[in-house]
Amino acid sequence: MEILATIWFVLIIVLWTGYLFLDGFDLGVGMLMPLLSRTERQKRVLLNTIGPTWDGNEVWLITAAGATFAAFPHWYASLFSALYIPLTLCLLALIFRAVSIEYRGKGHSQAWKSFWTWAMAVGSAGIAFFVGAMLAITSTGLPLNDNGDLIGGAFAWAGWPAVFGGLGGIGFALVHGLIFLGLKTRGDMREKAQRWARRLLLPGSIGFLIWFGLSITHRTWLAAVVLAAVVALVAAYFAVRSGAEKAAFVLHGIYLAAGLFAVFAGAYPNVLPSTLDSANSLTIASASSEDYTLTVMLVVTVICLPIIIGYQIFSYRMFLGRIAETHIPEAHRVPVAIRS
């Protein structure tokens, strides 16, 4: 039944929204590591704001990709084969970001720390760009033939939708990271984060706003949803100006959720439109798995997803406090505890 495929289409969009909302601020903090902090202690403040949660946030990315593979295998096959180059670059960026967080504290020279700091920044920017670009591409379409194969070469995906989505991803992550730092830090770092959030919130949203606005060309009633996203964004701006970081963080998330709803509601029932011929577009009906598979997956999701959300809420509550430079001890060498 199409109802099951529709439910899974909605769930996958929810998973991608959750990933961008949660890992978005991690990526923003990663990009800000060499830019917002001057001293080593300040860099460690930034790193400690995301240290307990960054790897848990990536679960949403893995789950979104896995759910796409299981629920819509034809969508997964066409999208991932057509976007082989940006997916490979995104994977490398994910590796660099993860390794930099783990390796940065393993060396003591300035060159070592500087290399991994920039590796984290570049890796985080790469993830934000390619995830934003790929989501924009899957909603606006690719030149697909009647077999679901890409026409036009390995770079046929490179176009204005990829640029707007990629730059929008970077802009969203930067602003989300700044708002998060205002929420999680004290003193000079909090003031700098608030100041730069005020400066970058509106210009950093241009890429995503253009992408969101394209949805109106498919269904005019989505103009109301895009307007709601804009209202939430403006409200987030005034919340940042007034120092209400919690409200700003939530409103920035509402802006994202409303915009993504408009984008994919405009594309529905297509999961991957074809820019060559609408008859070649992949729809929820033509790209989905069998009803039995979708039903089993839905039962498992209903059981497991609340557990995952509950665990993440618990972990965030455990690390709810603000972090200041006074909380960071001086760097020191740990003696080897292995006897020869």
Side-chain angles (χ1 to χ4, degrees), residues 218-234:
H218 301 290
R219 292 180 171 89
T220 55
W221 65 268
L222 289 173
V225 182
V226 175
L227 179 62
V230 173
V231 169
L233 181 66
V234 173

Side-chain angles (χ1 to χ4, degrees), residues 228-252:
V230 173
V231 169
L233 181 66
V234 173
Y237 173 76
F238 284 106
V240 168
R241 286 185 62 89
S242 64
E245 294 102 342
K246 289 183 181 179
F249 193 69
V250 172
L251 287 166
H252 202 233

